[in-house]
Amino acid sequence: MVAKVVPVDSFDLVVFGATGDLSRRKLIPALYRRMADGQIPDTARIIGAARSDMDVQAFRNMAAEALDRFVPPEELDQSIRDRFLSCIDYLALDVTKEAGWADLRSLLSDDGRPCAYYLSVAPRFFGVIADGIRKAGLVNDMTRIVVEKPLGRDLASAQELNNQLSQCFSEQKIYRIDHYLGKETVQNLMALRFANALFEPLWNARYIDHVQITAAEKVGIEGRGPYYDNVGAMRDMVQNHLLQLLCLTAMEPPSHFAPDAVRDEKLKVLRALEPLTDPADIVRGQYRKDSIGGSYLEEAENPDSRTESFVALKAGISNWRWSGVPFYLRTGKRLRSRVSEIAIRFKDIPHSIFSGPQTATKPNILAIRLQPDEGITLSMTVKDPGQGGMRLTDTDLDMSFAESLTHSGARLPDAYERLVMDVIRGDQTLFMRGDEVEAAWAWIDPIIQANSSIRPVQYDSGSSGPEDALMLLHRDGRRWREISA
Ligand code: NAD
């Protein structure tokens, strides 16, 4: 069944965990911006629900502080800010208790508008909140429920979570957020592939040498060490964000741009991933102490930790399109720069007609940059202008839109802005379906089981990761792209 898509007239949005970090740092600013863009009418209701015993005014003050802190002053308009705050309500509700759910019901509108419940709380509350909404008689055709990572820590717990949600909501009502999918550039990857004749004929093992997907962070785990130590980079980044990017890069063209058509194709990619059984195809690392902070082991407060803060791996996809094309994935903390990108490295030309000085050709690389500076570049070999004879050089065809948008006075929306409005509109295209999440865990689980007792190698903070990660590509005659912002 295709999800019902409705224009955003008005809506109710209930944010469970509204006093928490995610709500204040991301959701409240995203909603404000959408109101400033004219997408949220004054009649919308944003209802914060959390354990803290405070009244509406105290919560509005908290929301106002979040705007002042997380929205740049030049984007804040006093009258829009006031209108936005007047849309806000608050309910003190301990979701583990029976009491309070009837009060939630009385805060909701009864005019048939969409009502979204955003579960910005720890996953152990997902089941109890889903049940509370159902028991309060609040599930109807216009209900949507939004959940965030972590969606399980292995296949069994992900299935359990899916079961808890599906007992109360049909799959068409469940929105599993992966904020990487809300990035403009990631959506542009689909436009690039499927709205142009140029790339798709080349998008296969015949013309593509390999793909690199990188999500490098500069920060370490400081402040949340013991929590992170129970998770690690495989669960925190690879299972969700990196595999989602891999799916969008590798999937077959869907028959149309509709939620299940896209998600069916992503699922096929996950199911075609080759089991990663060769230990040489995975590198796990932990960062060393440096001038910025302690070592991973110190910050994890676990001197014997085997949890990885860095992973590099070589994945393969068993299908006609991708057979023999490695997908190298890499993610880590305390690396040189904060960079996320997908790089498609095309094959070398079969034969060069040029000879003489400065005639080496370089392979084309299509780089899709998610952060910083979202944009897309295609490296090309061209004639070095002005040079005598046929001398070659390489240049980037810049398909960035950030700059052109800025020049036209527009701005790139944050991923949460896009995703929250998609929820309200009832468009699930950029959200993970339950079977996708399970298929990703089914691939990741054996990798974690085979490696979790092995001590990760150490790497220097501020570097591009462990030596072994460089070797992962060197041994295939390839090299990683520089991690540079
Ligand atoms: P947080 O600890 O800052 O906030 C938790 C919220 O849950 C608070 O509002 C608290 O009042 C509420 N809460 C706790 N127990 C409750 C109860 N019994 N009844 C009602 N409310 C209760 O957490 P956070 O960082 O905002 O993260 C929320 C969720 O989003 C987590 O699952 C987290 O993994 C996920 N997430 C967070 C981020 C982020 O950037 N913070 C990013 C991705 C995913």
Side-chain angles (χ1 to χ4, degrees):
M1 196 177 104
V2 176
K4 192 169 176 184
V5 178
V6 289
V8 179
D9 284 333
S10 209
F11 61 87
D12 288 352
L13 171 67
V14 182
V15 181
F16 290 97
T19 58
D21 174 69
L22 178 66
S23 161
R24 284 179 293 127
R25 212 158 41 83
K26 290 289 181 188
L27 300 180
I28 290 172
L31 290 162
Y32 166 83
R33 286 182 164 125
R34 290 279 110 154
M35 180 171 262
D37 287 349
Q39 294 199 29
I40 297 186
D42 294 359
T43 49
R45 308 301 312 154
I46 298 161
I47 300 154
R51 210 172 24 181
S52 313
D53 194 12
M54 61 170 86
D55 62 15
V56 180
Q57 194 48 50
F59 182 64
R60 285 183 181 172
N61 293 345
M62 182 185 266
E65 276 166 32
L67 294 182
D68 294 342
R69 188 159 161 214
F70 298 114
V71 179
E74 63 276 14
E75 281 184 46
L76 270 181
D77 176 290
Q78 193 59 40
S79 71
I80 300 171
R81 186 175 177 274
D82 292 345
R83 267 170 48 212
F84 177 74
L85 293 174
S86 69
C87 291
I88 290 184
D89 238 316
Y90 182 76
L91 175 69
L93 171 70
D94 182 338
V95 296
T96 60
K97 306 264 165 63
E98 293 284 325
W101 291 96
D103 297 336
L104 174 59
R105 196 190 170 98
S106 66
L107 287 176
L108 299 177
S109 316
D110 55 5
D111 54 5
R113 59 172 68 187
C115 181
Y117 300 92
Y118 200 119
L119 275 47
S120 183
V121 292
R124 67 178 183 283
F125 295 122
F126 289 178
V128 72
I129 295 177
D131 217 35
I133 295 169
R134 182 181 60 82
K135 283 191 191 143
L138 298 175
V139 183
N140 59 47
D141 281 356
M142 301 304 265
T143 305
R144 299 99 164 79
I145 183 144
V146 188
V147 290
E148 273 275 354
K149 80 171 193 184
L151 300 172
R153 57 174 285 110
D154 53 22
L155 176 58
S157 53
Q159 286 170 330
E160 168 68 21
L161 213 56
N162 279 342
N163 283 341
Q164 287 173 352
L165 294 174
S166 66
Q167 278 166 24
C168 304
F169 306 98
S170 61
E171 184 63 36
Q172 286 73 29
K173 295 184 172 55
I174 305 173
Y175 292 73
R176 295 176 190 80
I177 284 205
D178 185 321
H179 69 270
Y180 272 54
L181 300 186
K183 300 249 177 216
E184 282 287 319
T185 336
V186 174
Q187 293 155 53
N188 212 6
L189 168 60
M190 287 189 273
L192 200 70
R193 283 192 63 191
F194 305 129
N196 294 282
L198 199 60
F199 293 107
E200 205 46 30
L202 307 180
W203 210 261
N204 56 51
R206 211 162 150 207
Y207 296 102
I208 292 179
D209 179 74
H210 73 276
V211 176
Q212 295 184 17
I213 302 180
T214 298
E217 292 178 88
K218 235 178 145 168
V219 294
I221 56 162
E222 56 275 50
R224 58 183 200 124
Y227 166 80
Y228 184 90
D229 198 44
N230 194 29
V231 180
M234 280 296 280
R235 291 189 173 96
D236 192 42
M237 295 295 293
V238 181
Q239 186 274 341
N240 38 54
H241 307 314
L242 295 198
L243 284 186
Q244 284 294 316
L245 297 182
L246 178 146
C247 284
L248 290 176
T249 309
M251 71 182 184
E252 295 299 314
S255 58
H256 50 299
F257 192 63
D260 279 335
V262 172
R263 298 186 302 175
D264 286 347
E265 297 306 335
K266 282 161 58 196
L267 181 64
K268 285 183 209 162
V269 174
L270 290 166
R271 291 190 172 153
L273 282 170
E274 291 162 12
L276 200 158
T277 48
D278 185 347
D281 286 342
I282 176 161
V283 177
R284 296 163 63 250
Q286 289 174 338
Y287 56 82
R288 294 195 182 97
K289 190 183 182 73
D290 73 350
S291 54
I292 303 168
S295 67
Y296 176 83
L297 295 174
E298 286 166 357
E299 292 181 350
E301 298 171 29
N302 179 4
D304 196 37
S305 171
R306 309 280 156 114
T307 305
E308 71 288 340
S309 61
F310 176 98
V311 178
L313 58 82
K314 178 180 172 181
I317 301 172
S318 285
N319 63 20
W320 273 49
R321 186 186 285 266
W322 295 115
S323 182
V325 179
F327 281 68
Y328 297 102
L329 314 186
R330 139 181 91 154
T331 181
K333 296 207 173 280
R334 204 67 80 64
L335 296 176
R336 184 170 300 145
S337 305
R338 177 168 174 260
V339 173
S340 298
E341 67 165 29
I342 304 168
I344 321 287
R345 203 280 210 177
F346 288 87
K347 288 194 168 162
D348 294 321
I349 53 168
H351 164 73
S352 177
I353 61 169
F354 305 106
S355 58
Q358 211 185 305
T359 52
T361 57
K362 282 199 177 164
N364 302 114
I365 296 177
L366 179 68
I368 297 133
R369 175 70 73 106
L370 279 67
Q371 61 191 16
D373 306 329
E374 283 196 58
I376 299 180
T377 53
L378 177 63
S379 72
M380 307 282 288
T381 301
V382 294
K383 181 185 175 300
D384 202 349
Q387 292 285 334
M390 182 54 87
R391 290 170 191 250
L392 303 177
T393 185
D394 55 297
T395 188
D396 278 348
L397 262 184
D398 193 344
M399 290 176 266
S400 300
F401 36 84
E403 212 173 302
S404 52
L405 274 182
T406 321
H407 286 157
S408 68
R411 66 178 180 86
L412 272 185
D414 175 73
Y416 280 94
E417 295 175 44
R418 163 76 199 240
L419 294 173
V420 169
M421 297 316 287
D422 279 359
V423 171
I424 303 299
R425 291 195 182 91
D427 183 347
Q428 291 183 304
T429 311
L430 299 177
F431 297 83
M432 295 176 292
R433 210 167 51 193
D435 50 6
E436 274 183 80
V437 174
E438 291 182 17
W441 279 119
W443 187 71
I444 291 279
D445 263 5
I447 306 175
I448 293 180
Q449 276 156 22
N451 288 281
S452 58
S453 60
I454 300 170
R455 196 179 283 282
V457 294
Q458 302 285 301
Y459 61 94
D460 288 337
S461 292
S463 70
S464 53
E467 277 291 308
D468 293 15
L470 304 181
M471 292 312 298
L472 180 73
L473 269 73
H474 278 190
R475 85 169 187 231
D476 293 345
R478 301 181 173 112
R479 55 193 301 183
W480 290 107
R481 282 161 59 80
E482 285 291 321
I483 294 183
S484 59

